[in-house]
Amino acid sequence: MRRKKPEDLREWCYPFIFETRLTCDYEILTDELCCHIGVVLSMLPQGFDDIRHDLEQLQPLIYNLNGSVRGKNGIFERDIEWLKARYSHYQQETAGRVTGFVLPRGPAPVPQLHLCRCTGKKIVRMLVRLEQEGRTFDETLPRFANVLANFFFVLTVAIKDRLGTEEVPYISINY
């Protein structure tokens, strides 16, 4: 049975919610990521102004990423370059702190940023699936989404470093 728009709009949470294509799932994932960032912002300690500013800059870009599959492209080379520069900033700040896998734990908002990282990976995977489904979009989208997932990880390292929290290494028995 194919669902259609209900007469009572209170029973309709999103204009595309009853679509069967993956585009709607992609949009929900990007919306989820933007919400996760809002949670991180609410938990960010005082004095983390550079991180706060970066996350505040990132939220509108996430919504640009959201609409870039169904609508016109809203992620540009300048956005990727900005995000790479911010990634490099935090990576240089924490150089040598992480040399292998670490467990995703620590004080708030570190676990929440790890959820952002995972959602970023889901977005990359959904872009792969959308492409497989025949959807076309600008190559800036998967590039930006990949950098995004890495950016959230380096933010966890920077926050833990600033708070004096140790990383907990994970040694795989599988590889």
Side-chain angles (χ1 to χ4, degrees):
M1 174 175 138
R2 184 153 165 76
R3 297 224 174 252
K4 57 185 173 181
K5 178 179 166 183
E7 291 180 26
D8 185 341
L9 294 183
R10 293 172 298 178
E11 297 176 12
W12 191 42
C13 66
Y14 186 61
F16 307 108
I17 200 69
F18 296 126
E19 286 183 357
T20 57
R21 292 175 295 160
L22 294 172
T23 308
C24 182
D25 300 278
Y26 166 80
E27 292 164 342
I28 291 169
L29 277 174
T30 53
D31 186 33
E32 179 181 330
L33 179 58
C34 206
C35 293
H36 281 313
I37 293 170
V39 171
V40 171
L41 284 166
S42 75
M43 299 176 145
L44 203 58
Q46 292 294 322
F48 287 66
D49 297 338
D50 56 342
I51 293 174
R52 178 174 304 285
H53 178 74
D54 289 342
L55 292 174
E56 288 172 349
Q57 295 291 103
L58 204 49
Q59 271 189 313
L61 291 175
I62 301 295
Y63 277 145
N64 291 349
L65 183 67
N66 175 298
S68 291
V69 169
R70 187 182 302 275
K72 66 181 183 176
N73 182 47
I75 297 295
F76 306 101
E77 196 65 38
R78 69 179 177 264
D79 301 321
I80 297 169
E81 292 307 314
W82 171 78
L83 190 55
K84 284 180 175 179
R86 299 313 298 154
Y87 173 90
S88 294
H89 165 78
Y90 296 110
Q91 188 179 44
Q92 290 169 3
E93 178 183 314
T94 60
R97 182 168 167 82
V98 174
T99 57
F101 287 104
V102 294
L103 292 173
R105 60 170 78 162
V110 170
Q112 292 78 11
L113 280 166
H114 279 295
L115 291 173
C116 289
R117 176 181 57 81
C118 288
T119 305
K121 288 180 182 181
K122 290 178 188 178
I123 290 168
V124 173
R125 289 296 302 152
M126 187 59 72
L127 287 167
V128 169
R129 297 294 311 278
L130 282 163
E131 193 170 53
Q132 179 186 37
E133 188 179 76
R135 195 79 181 185
T136 58
F137 44 81
D138 198 279
E139 70 173 43
T140 56
L141 304 188
R143 290 175 55 218
F144 182 80
N146 271 285
V147 177
L148 195 56
N150 292 331
F151 176 73
F152 290 126
F153 177 76
V154 79
L155 278 187
T156 70
V157 177
I159 290 171
K160 287 171 80 173
D161 185 53
R162 292 179 189 185
L163 294 175
T165 304
E166 292 297 317
E167 297 288 352
V168 179
Y170 168 71
I171 309 301
S172 174
I173 62 171
N174 308 106
Y175 304 104

